[in-house]
Amino acid sequence: MDALTSLVVHRTRLTSMSGAASIWRKMSKEPDLPSPPRQAYSGSLIERAAIYRSDEAKLTTLAQDVRAGVYVIGGDVVVLKAQGAELDPLFSPAEAHALGAARETVFLGLSDGAPRFGAGLDPAAVEPLKARGDLKLIDLRTIAVQGAVTTEHVPPLAEAKAVLDWHARHRFCPNCAAATRVTQGGWRRDCPNCKAEHFPRTDPVVIMLPIAGERCVLGRSPRFPQTMWSCLAGFCEPGESIEEAVRREVAEEVGLTCARTKYFSSQPWPFPSSLMIGCHAEAVTENIVIDRSEIEEARWFDRDELSLMLTRKHPERLTTPPSIAIAHHIIRDFVEHGADVLVP
Ligand SMILES: [Zn+2]
């Protein structure tokens, strides 16, 4: 019996006992599951060493360091060295240059003292590389889902992809339309005409699980795989707090009113530049009214059903998102701790 199944059985026994709810609340402080698999893109070991970004001479020295490594990205795909079954995302600066001229290069920071850079190639320039037997080109979502590279490389790849995507979309000044130039080791674009300074953007997205007692609401986007259900999510709007965005998005997407909200954790999501802000929210109404322009379906699930979905044992084969995604961990936290997830 694995841990989650054991949890379901254990809970069934508890809930049949008098006063079980209070026992469960007491017990639920202790985790019932083994450590969850890591979500992707966060947990970077890179020291960003931002102090060097304005030091051109230092950046040149770092680029010439024998330990320097470059992540090479073209649009959505990452270029990887294929050495037998091993896929290595790090190229020496000379190897990276040989793959093609980078439109932009970003100093990502230091990995145990070794300089790390991200090089952005035009998507058209990486197309011919697909034919080479010594290379593999894989998009960053697939890399994370398949565990195609060792986990230490995934956060710096996310860092590189997010900044390089921003460069690709911001080569002209939004203020005066002049061509801008890269400065600060790739962390700023300056306009020579109006002198505006432009910084990489991060777009906050709230991703939340409305809960009421032992139940919560999941939804389905039309773009999801047929059997997958997940948390609700939406962009924070200007002038809005995280809590306000959570309540507004839940109200808009499924018509529920939420009271308390509780921050869970966050995850960089470089598609292209989001920061997922995970929350639980206390639903104080029950009737779901779906906004069909946003989601396809939404309904209440209890914790036992969620356990079966997390372990891929649901009789209708319904699933939650994979563990690379923060949604998996938000749902899992509710399965483990119930309404305690809302306790400050
Ligand atoms: Zn300008």
Side-chain angles (χ1 to χ4, degrees), residues 26 28 54 58 101 126 136 225 241 286 339:
K26 282 176 191 162
S28 66
S54 57
K58 180 67 178 179
V126 299
K136 277 261 192 226
S241 70
E286 199 171 337

Side-chain angles (χ1 to χ4, degrees), residues 23-32 262 336-344:
I23 294 170
W24 173 245
R25 271 198 297 277
K26 282 176 191 162
M27 293 189 68
S28 66
K29 295 292 183 188
E30 295 301 319
D32 291 275
K262 177 91 184 301
E336 286 191 283
H337 301 114
D340 278 358
V341 294
L342 288 168
V343 175

Side-chain angles (χ1 to χ4, degrees), residues 12-77:
T12 307
R13 286 189 193 128
L14 274 177
T15 49
S16 68
M17 294 162 57
S18 171
S22 63
I23 294 170
W24 173 245
R25 271 198 297 277
K26 282 176 191 162
M27 293 189 68
S28 66
K29 295 292 183 188
E30 295 301 319
D32 291 275
L33 301 174
S35 298
R38 274 173 58 172
Q39 68 184 23
Y41 314 124
S42 51
S44 180
L45 300 176
I46 294 272
E47 178 202 344
R48 296 202 176 202
I51 192 171
Y52 298 144
R53 291 175 187 169
S54 57
D55 187 340
E56 291 286 342
K58 180 67 178 179
L59 289 174
T60 301
T61 304
L62 291 170
Q64 293 167 347
D65 191 309
V66 292
R67 297 167 303 166
V70 184
Y71 297 103
V72 179
I73 298 177
D76 286 331
V77 298

